[in-house]
Amino acid sequence: MKISKKLILPVLFLFLGVFFSNAHPYYVSISQVNFNQQSHSLEISVKIFVDDLTAGLSAEGHNKLYIGEVQEDAHADEYIYAYLKKSIRFKVNDKNFEPEFIGKEMEKDVVWSYLEIGNVTGLSTIEVNCNLLTDVFSDQKNIIQVNKNGTIKNLLLSKRDTNGRLKFD
């Protein structure tokens, strides 16, 4: 039996389409923490897909926020800040800090939220406890990237391991 070349390509695309349509999406957030020696602060940028953040806020009882849309809820920033404060906690040089909310901006289907921790005179250790979206997505991964004077260190946190500590010289 001879198989036609014209038949192989459509069958291959059909097979790949079925295979990838059942593939599970990845759930990930990225938090970038930069130590600013001049201002004695940690500048924190948190990147989350808007639909994932909406699901997390919905689980908190905040529905129909329309983040990044014309009809965005007037209290959306407050809800986002409260959720981030609850979900990401920082300990710098063995001292707990609560970040201040600077704002947010949209980038296509991603929300960038900006936080800042002031009065950080030096950075020798940072401990991050992050359970961001782990209550909504069991396979959520949270990447924490810390930059001190060009030295970059990373943490990969998840529902099973929500806490990490980095040490700088």
Side-chain angles (χ1 to χ4, degrees), residues 111-128:
V111 179
W112 283 94
S113 298
Y114 302 104
L115 307 167
E116 186 173 35
I117 296 174
N119 299 318
V120 178
T121 56
L123 178 61
S124 58
T125 62
I126 183 167
E127 188 172 334
V128 182

Side-chain angles (χ1 to χ4, degrees), residues 56-167:
L57 292 170
S58 182
E60 297 282 309
H62 306 295
N63 297 308
K64 299 182 182 179
L65 295 180
Y66 304 104
I67 297 170
E69 298 180 27
V70 176
Q71 68 270 32
E72 179 176 284
D73 186 292
H75 300 286
D77 285 2
E78 294 171 40
Y79 301 145
I80 292 169
Y81 179 43
Y83 185 68
L84 291 175
K85 274 195 319 186
K86 181 189 97 155
S87 302
I88 308 174
R89 290 170 300 286
F90 297 92
K91 188 182 274 191
V92 180
N93 305 329
D94 297 318
K95 182 179 175 188
N96 290 317
F97 284 90
E98 185 174 295
E100 177 185 342
F101 186 74
I102 304 302
K104 74 167 181 347
E105 66 180 339
M106 299 299 300
E107 180 183 282
K108 295 185 182 179
D109 56 350
V110 168
V111 179
W112 283 94
S113 298
Y114 302 104
L115 307 167
E116 186 173 35
I117 296 174
N119 299 318
V120 178
T121 56
L123 178 61
S124 58
T125 62
I126 183 167
E127 188 172 334
V128 182
N129 184 292
C130 181
N131 60 5
L132 185 65
L133 297 171
T134 57
D135 55 337
V136 180
F137 306 112
S138 61
D139 55 347
Q140 173 73 29
K141 304 290 185 232
N142 295 306
I143 300 169
I144 313 295
Q145 182 181 71
V146 181
N147 180 352
K148 178 188 178 190
N149 303 327
T151 300
I152 298 172
K153 297 188 178 188
N154 298 291
L155 296 169
L156 178 60
L157 305 176
S158 65
K159 186 171 188 149
R160 290 178 46 211
D161 188 16
T162 61
N163 199 50
R165 182 180 173 96
L166 298 171
K167 185 175 180 177

